Amino acid sequence: MEVLEGILERITFYSEDTSYLVGSLSRSDRKGERVTFVGYFPRLQEGETLRLKGEWKIHPRYGKQFRVEEWESVTPATQKGLKSFLSSGLIKGVGSHTAGLLIDRFGMETLEIIEGEPGRLVEISGIGPKRAALIHQSYERHKEIKEVMIFLQSHGVSTSLAVRLFKFYGQQAIAVLQENPYRLAEEVYGVGFITADRVARQLGLPFNSPQRVRAAVLFLLQQAAGEGHVYLPAEELREKVVELLLQREANETRPTTGERGKDEHRQGLSGEEISPELVTAQVEQLAADRLVFMDQDREGREIVYAAPFYHAEKGAARKLKELINRQLVLFAPEEESVVQEILQKEKIELAPEQAEAVSGALRHGVMVITGGPGTGKTTTIKTLISLFRHYKLKVQLAAPTGRAAKRMTEATGMEARTVHRLLEYSFEEGRGFCFQRNEENPLPAQALIVDEVSMMDLVLFYNLLKAVPPGCRLVLVGDVDQLPSVGAGNVLRDIIQSGALPCVRLNTIFRQARESMIVVNAHRVNTGEFPYLNKRQKDFFFIKEEDPEKVAATIVELCRERLPRFGSYDPREEIQVLTPMRKTPVGVERMNYLLQQQLNPPSPHKAEIYSGGFAFRAGDKVMQIRNNYEKEVFNGDMGRITRIDGEEGELWVSFPDVYGAREVTYDLLELDELVLSYAVSVHKSQGSEYPVVVMPLVTQHYILLQRNLLYTAITRAKNMVVLIGTRKALAIAIGNNKVERRYSELARRLRE
């Protein structure tokens, strides 16, 4: 293998999913000659000095490339390389200016001074003891992370998740991996069974070790929850575990001789067996340890739950029954006259089903209200607030996300909080982050109205129910025809399908709403009808284009020029691109790149910071993609980068909420929690409302082209919808009304 050494000048492409990187290396032995290299790497920073081992290959499209098999980060050998390394953002407290001052003072001994004599850094103007300590700690942390990366690499494993491992385990990361690598799959967000298993096999753990089977069971239940399932049928779980474990040994396994069937034993070349019986034994052991629970579904089949979902499903059914069966204090007979008085005062007219919903919310402990856009959900909520207040009830409002809570506050004029804030989610010594409101410490509420319930997953819903005090009226509002929650469960649909709780569906589209093609077409799509397109002086447009590349170019042109000119819409604040998939030419990732280049291009006067091959610039629109309870920002929260400090390696994001705007600080090791959000998936848009929605509809997205996805996207728009693509793709989406089944027994438990 050939060896190249030099400075990483530029990251052309990097995939978080696969860790594949395309970069440009300035060779130190060829006077800065630039070469293109490709391979699998962790998050690198431009300016690092690398030693690469590999071979030259000719790519049919991109030409000559150096394909990397092994690599290491090395101490820079020149002052130019040293300055690039120090300025890369890896070392907090050191930017380009400070790097130059350090090298001018200490020369090529700068790193030795930082590591061994950090007190001497105060010799540099502008560096005090506090900053010197920060620089030293940051450099030591960088070295420790590299050790973890090198350890993983030495065992043939991609190291793209090494930063997460180090953040989670600290200096104990390598010890944990050597003791039980399967802990990664159980404990570290973003690390799957495959990665943990690769390390375990390299470390010599047996093919059929109990640890391996146990980890596979827990991983598959966790993976199923990520797909929306609360449990898995036992037989399906066994098959998936065997398939997963054998998949890892695909080139080393073969069926044993004899009859083939479900219970077929299969072996690795070493003779080690994987059988359904082995899986069953570990499931039973996990059940004995109360990490999983066994039960039966409505058809009498054996099913397996991960413990949190078992407790959440049974507990949610129990709490709802308690609330609906609780004897409430009934209001006086003048209830109807009070309602009429409130309606006259507020100049509100209720449709019959709205009046039924209001009356039901007074009579029942739990009331479910569902309906599409323009059917008066907000009016019904406002009427209920006025009515509850008339009877001197303490009312609280909540929604699953900050965006949904902000919309509820604006619509009702009363403060609404996120469910997490309502339940006072915070850190508690000995317990970690947890909800402070629960059965022992219930909410101080006599009426609780929760909006956008279709977004709530089962576990969050159960925690909410635990905090509802006896006798409190609970009103659940949402659109059951939208996409279900990102997390496990299908709470709103299950409650409605159970028939066990009073429910009203709002169907009347009010006159003012009927004037909007967004509302009309949303309902047409929801009933399987083709939408009205391109009506004059309306708000719903379709641009026909078959070539995905031209679709992408049209979206960029719409956001950059046509829509701002047409309606004075701010491209970054008021226009949102929604797309069904992450990949493809008009997927989330590529559209974000194209839109960033046009709406917030690089500039010498604009601060930016690189992470994983992508640039974050001041002014960029970004989204949080993981719950961070410490910072109180959650999956799906969107904000704007307000400033970047290259010297400190930090950036600040302003997130809007019901209290205005709040700035949150991120350092380099936390940037994997952020993505650009000029374009987002339809799933991530739930609970939001945007002035303008722009959406590509191409047949390349056929896997996800379904009615409830298109309906959800349309209902996110307030003023205008623009679809770009083909009528065929639009017809596919409208015609596909198959709602993907989620394994859940909440409806059955409510009926029992």
Side-chain angles (χ1 to χ4, degrees):
M1 285 193 295
E2 191 171 344
V3 179
L4 304 183
E5 189 170 312
I7 297 171
L8 175 57
E9 290 281 354
R10 184 167 179 259
I11 297 173
T12 307
F13 170 80
Y14 184 70
S15 168
E16 285 287 351
D17 294 335
T18 64
S19 305
Y20 186 73
L21 181 144
V22 180
S24 176
L25 187 80
S26 177
R27 295 182 62 173
S28 54
D29 60 337
R30 296 281 183 92
K31 296 183 178 180
E33 174 192 342
R34 288 192 175 189
V35 298
T36 299
F37 68 94
V38 298
Y40 296 89
F41 293 84
R43 282 171 166 255
L44 299 178
Q45 295 292 329
E46 294 177 354
E48 289 194 68
T49 300
L50 305 175
R51 182 177 294 125
L52 311 176
K53 294 182 182 180
E55 297 178 348
W56 290 101
K57 301 287 182 181
I58 303 296
H59 191 282
R61 182 174 177 183
Y62 300 111
K64 189 176 182 182
Q65 298 177 333
F66 190 72
R67 188 168 296 171
V68 179
E69 299 294 335
E70 299 177 19
W71 71 278
E72 61 180 314
S73 181
V74 298
T75 303
T78 66
Q79 287 199 357
K80 179 184 176 183
L82 181 58
K83 184 174 182 181
S84 295
F85 171 73
L86 291 170
S87 305
S88 67
L90 284 167
I91 313 301
K92 290 188 69 172
V94 179
S96 179
H97 175 69
T98 305
L101 295 176
L102 286 167
I103 293 169
D104 288 344
R105 179 70 179 85
F106 301 118
M108 293 304 295
E109 294 181 359
T110 298
L111 294 181
E112 286 82 354
I113 297 295
I114 292 174
E115 182 177 9
E117 301 178 76
R120 290 188 59 192
L121 298 179
V122 298
E123 297 173 20
I124 305 299
S125 175
I127 298 181
K130 186 176 179 180
R131 189 173 176 190
L134 174 68
I135 294 170
H136 171 71
Q137 291 165 6
S138 180
Y139 179 70
E140 290 295 316
R141 187 174 176 83
H142 167 75
K143 285 177 56 183
E144 290 163 357
I145 292 171
K146 289 297 181 186
E147 287 178 13
V148 175
M149 292 176 178
I150 292 168
F151 171 79
L152 288 171
Q153 180 182 298
S154 69
H155 290 88
V157 179
S158 166
T159 56
S160 64
L161 297 173
V163 170
R164 289 182 199 159
L165 302 187
F166 182 81
K167 284 173 65 178
F168 194 88
Y169 295 116
Q171 296 179 354
Q172 301 301 311
I174 293 175
V176 168
L177 295 178
Q178 291 172 326
E179 176 197 352
N180 179 10
Y182 292 110
R183 283 179 58 183
L184 305 187
E186 295 180 29
E187 298 173 352
V188 183
Y189 175 88
V191 179
F193 173 83
I194 306 304
T195 301
D197 192 49
R198 190 180 293 127
V199 177
R201 300 295 289 147
Q202 288 287 334
L203 291 172
L205 267 71
F207 173 70
N208 61 352
S209 71
Q211 280 179 315
R212 186 170 191 247
V213 178
R214 177 187 177 99
V217 170
L218 293 174
F219 166 69
L220 286 167
L221 288 174
Q222 180 187 47
Q223 187 179 61
E227 295 168 358
H229 301 299
V230 180
Y231 65 83
L232 282 178
E235 184 177 353
E236 182 178 331
L237 176 61
R238 281 192 292 268
E239 291 173 357
K240 284 179 176 288
V241 170
V242 172
E243 181 184 355
L244 175 65
L245 297 182
L246 288 169
Q247 179 187 351
R248 305 301 311 135
E249 304 288 324
N251 299 322
E252 300 180 316
T253 57
R254 52 179 170 75
T256 56
T257 58
E259 184 180 351
R260 299 176 183 226
K262 287 183 184 176
D263 296 330
E264 170 185 79
H265 288 213
R266 288 181 282 180
Q267 303 173 328
L269 292 178
S270 62
E272 301 162 330
E273 292 183 346
I274 291 289
S275 70
E277 290 79 13
L278 180 62
V279 178
T280 298
Q282 284 308 305
V283 171
E284 290 174 350
Q285 183 57 54
L286 285 165
D289 296 337
R290 302 183 70 79
L291 293 174
V292 305
F293 284 81
M294 314 288 289
D295 207 330
Q296 290 187 333
D297 67 7
R298 70 203 75 169
E299 296 161 8
R301 294 181 303 174
E302 188 177 46
I303 58 180
V304 184
Y305 291 83
F309 301 107
Y310 177 77
H311 294 308
E313 187 175 88
K314 288 198 72 175
R318 173 177 56 82
K319 292 296 295 182
L320 284 171
K321 287 178 186 179
E322 289 176 1
L323 288 168
I324 196 65
N325 292 327
R326 177 74 61 174
Q327 184 66 43
L328 297 174
V329 176
L330 295 177
F331 297 118
E334 78 274 3
E335 165 198 315
E336 191 166 328
S337 63
V338 171
V339 172
Q340 290 304 317
E341 182 183 325
I342 290 171
L343 296 179
Q344 289 175 7
K345 182 180 178 182
E346 301 291 337
K347 297 181 181 179
I348 293 172
E349 183 179 346
L350 296 183
E353 62 265 28
Q354 287 178 299
E356 182 186 349
V358 170
S359 178
L362 287 177
R363 294 196 312 271
H364 301 295
V366 183
M367 187 69 207
V368 181
I369 304 171
T370 186
T375 58
K377 294 193 298 295
T378 299
T379 299
T380 306
I381 291 172
K382 290 170 70 174
T383 304
L384 283 171
I385 292 170
S386 297
L387 193 56
F388 289 147
R389 282 177 164 173
H390 173 85
Y391 286 109
K392 304 292 192 273
L393 298 185
K394 183 171 177 55
V395 184
Q396 298 217 37
L397 307 182
T401 67
R403 290 170 293 167
K406 188 170 186 288
R407 284 179 59 197
M408 196 178 188
T409 299
E410 292 168 350
T412 63
M414 177 181 173
E415 181 192 8
R417 288 181 284 176
T418 64
V419 174
H420 282 86
R421 281 193 173 173
L422 181 77
L423 301 181
E424 299 174 18
Y425 197 83
S426 60
F427 185 81
E428 185 177 309
E429 196 67 40
R431 293 180 62 196
F433 283 96
C434 59
F435 294 107
Q436 304 300 315
R437 293 289 180 180
N438 48 42
E439 287 167 309
E440 288 74 38
N441 182 30
L443 292 166
Q446 295 165 305
L448 173 61
I449 304 174
V450 187
D451 198 9
E452 297 284 2
V453 177
S454 63
M455 295 180 63
M456 293 189 70
D457 63 66
L458 181 63
V459 173
L460 181 60
F461 184 64
Y462 174 49
N463 279 290
L464 175 67
L465 292 178
K466 286 197 292 185
V468 178
C472 177
R473 285 166 170 78
L474 176 63
V475 181
L476 303 174
V477 185
D479 187 345
V480 73
D481 296 316
Q482 288 186 21
L483 289 169
S485 63
V486 175
N490 205 343
V491 171
L492 186 60
R493 184 176 294 272
D494 283 348
I495 290 174
I496 293 172
Q497 286 183 345
S498 76
L501 302 174
C503 173
V504 171
R505 178 183 276 271
L506 306 180
N507 292 310
T508 302
I509 304 176
F510 286 86
R511 182 178 56 80
Q512 187 176 355
R514 286 199 302 270
E515 296 174 2
S516 166
M517 281 294 105
I518 296 173
V519 173
V520 171
N521 282 337
H523 285 276
R524 288 182 66 83
V525 166
N526 199 34
T527 56
E529 298 177 88
F530 216 78
Y532 298 121
L533 303 176
N534 301 332
K535 296 283 185 181
R536 282 192 175 185
Q537 297 179 333
K538 290 296 182 181
D539 51 12
F540 198 102
F541 301 95
F542 179 80
I543 300 173
K544 185 179 177 181
E545 182 56 70
E546 293 191 9
D547 184 350
E549 292 292 343
K550 290 182 179 178
V551 171
T554 302
I555 291 173
V556 172
E557 183 186 3
L558 281 164
C559 295
R560 185 188 62 206
E561 298 174 9
R562 290 166 62 178
L563 287 169
R565 190 168 59 239
F566 177 81
S568 300
Y569 294 112
D570 184 314
R572 284 183 283 185
E573 292 292 341
E574 298 178 300
I575 303 172
Q576 183 61 56
V577 176
L578 303 182
T579 178
M581 299 183 75
R582 295 201 59 78
K583 307 298 180 183
T584 77
V586 288
V588 171
E589 293 182 1
R590 184 159 186 263
M591 290 312 307
N592 268 318
Y593 172 76
L594 295 176
L595 289 165
Q596 184 197 40
Q597 290 297 103
Q598 294 299 318
L599 302 181
N600 194 26
S603 163
H605 309 293
K606 192 179 295 179
E608 63 181 36
I609 194 166
Y610 281 84
S611 177
F614 299 100
F616 289 108
R617 299 189 187 105
D620 269 337
K621 189 175 178 180
V622 293
M623 174 185 283
Q624 176 82 14
I625 59 170
R626 188 177 315 149
N627 288 342
N628 187 321
Y629 300 109
E630 190 171 354
K631 296 181 185 294
E632 291 188 34
V633 285
F634 303 99
N635 188 2
D637 285 353
M638 292 173 67
R640 289 277 294 273
I641 297 176
T642 53
R643 55 197 173 109
I644 295 174
D645 188 332
E647 295 280 321
E648 299 292 334
E650 292 179 336
L651 61 77
W652 285 259
V653 178
S654 176
F655 289 99
D657 63 17
V658 293
Y659 305 106
R662 188 170 62 92
E663 273 200 338
V664 177
T665 308
Y666 294 80
D667 65 28
L668 274 175
L669 297 182
E670 297 170 321
L671 293 187
D672 59 347
E673 296 183 10
L674 292 175
V675 294
L676 296 174
S677 62
Y678 297 98
V680 301
S681 69
V682 180
H683 282 85
K684 291 286 190 183
S685 73
Q686 286 176 269
S688 297
E689 186 177 71
Y690 314 102
V692 180
V693 164
V694 178
M695 183 181 183
L697 277 173
V698 295
T699 52
Q700 284 88 343
H701 292 164
Y702 74 94
I703 295 174
L704 288 179
L705 288 178
Q706 53 197 39
R707 189 182 298 175
N708 62 350
L709 181 135
L710 177 59
Y711 173 77
T712 301
I714 292 171
T715 56
R716 299 307 91 207
K718 187 176 181 181
N719 299 334
M720 186 184 299
V721 170
V722 184
L723 306 178
I724 307 102
T726 65
R727 293 177 70 94
K728 181 180 178 181
L730 181 56
I732 290 172
I734 295 168
N736 181 8
N737 194 32
K738 183 180 178 183
V739 177
E740 189 174 344
R741 183 189 172 186
R742 293 185 166 196
Y743 289 127
S744 166
E745 293 297 308
L746 179 61
R748 174 181 65 83
R749 294 185 193 278
L750 286 169
R751 282 193 296 266
E752 288 176 349

